[in-house]
Structures are given as C-alpha cells and as structure tokens.
Amino acid sequence: MSCFNAILMLALVSGPSMAFAQGLAPTMDHQFEFCHERPLEPEWMGSLPTRESYKRLVIQTIYRAHGLERVIEAGECSCATRFPSWDVAVQHFNDRYLGADRDVMRDAEDRYLTRFNELRSAARQICEAVGNW
C-alpha cells in the first residue's frame, strides 16, 4: 500500500468520527437560539422528491423575505411577527409558482432573496434590540 493510499484510508475511516467528536455532524434537531416556539417548516416540504427540491428553496426564501417585511411594517420583532405561520408563504407560492418551470422558479428565488437582502439591515436593527436576531 502506498503512503498516499494509507493516508486516504486513514482520512476516510477517521474523518466521520472526528466530525461527530467536534460537533460537526448534521442534526435534525430544531433548537433555535431565539424564538424557540417558531413554527417549523411543513413536513411535506422536506419530503419533496429530489427533482422538486427547488420548490422548497423558493418557499423558504418567500417565507424569510415575508418575515422581514412584517418586522419592518410593524416596527417590532416579536417572534410571531418575524416567524409567522408557513401557510402564507405556501399559499403565495401556490398562487404564483405552482405550475411554473424551473427558470421561473429560479427567477422567483432570486427576486425574494434580493428582497430579503434589501430588508435585512433594517430588520436586523429592530430585531437585535429585542434579542431576536
């Protein structure tokens, strides 16, 4: 066995255990630093077939942008304001993008991500004041 193969084998064998030891393993546990009672993403979104997973990204981006819009409109950052029910974002997606192709979805995700980034600074100031950022 060459030196390279030995190092590669050692990395493959010890890599995963080292990640767990360092706390780097992914978890499905939903422990948030703030707003512990925020609504979780609908379970069906995580169960979408791989070929449709882009729909989940669009809905998540709509949800995050709408949350920041609500914070700025209300001028406050309660957990209920920043993290509303997912129903509105899902309905928004269904009304506008349900039958759309991937290009339309990609454009939608870009638009909502741009909107999120535009609102981020103002919302952050409001939310940091109450510890919800």
Side-chain angles (χ1 to χ4, degrees), residues 10 18-19 27 54 56 59 68-69 72-73 97 99 106 108 114-115 119:
L10 178 62
M18 292 172 74
T27 178
Y54 60 92
R56 180 181 184 193
I59 296 169
L68 294 190
E69 285 174 345
I72 292 169
E73 287 170 5
Y97 307 109
R106 190 175 303 114
T114 297
R115 183 71 180 140
L119 301 169

Side-chain angles (χ1 to χ4, degrees), residues 15-27:
S17 62
M18 292 172 74
F20 281 107
Q22 296 173 7
L24 300 176
T27 178

